[in-house]
Amino acid sequence: QVQLVESGGGLVQAGGSLRLSCAASGNSFSINTMDWYRQAPGDQRELVASITRDGITNYGDSVKGRFAISRDNAKNTAYLQMNSLKPEDTAVYSCRADIRRFLHTYYVWGQGTQVTVSS
């Protein structure tokens, strides 16, 4: 079984930065795409950023130019560097990984980490 654990959330003032981490653990698996999603109270979940195993990235329009996703395949870990944070970035941020294990492919989600940006 594969698990994802996020870390790095917290409270920051507008204009500040945070770095989130998402680490995958388990046995006999590989990871294709890794994504960061976020969901604020009353809002739909939205894709923040994604990265393929080869490092191809994609960003939501609201974070382009401010956030950067990266990954370390050797550590099965993805990162989300968030700069120039705004109050509207406040949300629970969750990591999702496209897992391949034996003959199966499936998504695994982390538990989420709260990011709060004060004005």
Side-chain angles (χ1 to χ4, degrees):
Q1 194 168 359
V2 179
Q3 293 183 326
L4 299 181
V5 176
E6 299 110 330
S7 61
L11 174 64
V12 65
Q13 288 188 331
S17 298
L18 282 175
R19 188 191 194 210
L20 306 183
S21 298
C22 170
S25 62
N27 295 316
S28 304
F29 70 97
S30 62
I31 306 175
N32 297 319
T33 301
M34 299 187 78
D35 314 299
W36 284 99
Y37 283 81
R38 69 184 182 186
Q39 187 168 21
D43 290 347
Q44 289 188 334
R45 185 168 58 196
E46 65 169 330
L47 176 66
V48 176
S50 64
I51 185 167
T52 68
R53 186 170 184 82
D54 295 332
I56 298 171
T57 59
N58 181 53
Y59 295 94
D61 289 340
S62 61
V63 305
K64 284 180 181 177
R66 299 188 298 122
F67 290 12
I69 188 171
S70 60
R71 65 189 283 176
D72 184 333
N73 291 331
K75 295 182 179 179
N76 290 320
T77 300
Y79 306 95
L80 185 67
Q81 178 66 43
M82 305 185 294
N83 300 324
S84 302
L85 282 161
K86 305 174 182 179
E88 50 264 44
D89 293 318
T90 296
V92 175
Y93 285 70
S94 299
C95 178
R96 185 184 76 167
D98 180 12
I99 301 294
R100 286 191 177 180
R101 189 166 184 265
F102 302 118
L103 298 179
H104 303 287
T105 301
Y106 55 95
Y107 289 121
V108 175
W109 288 85
Q111 81 286 356
T113 185
Q114 177 69 46
V115 171
T116 302
V117 185
S118 63
S119 57

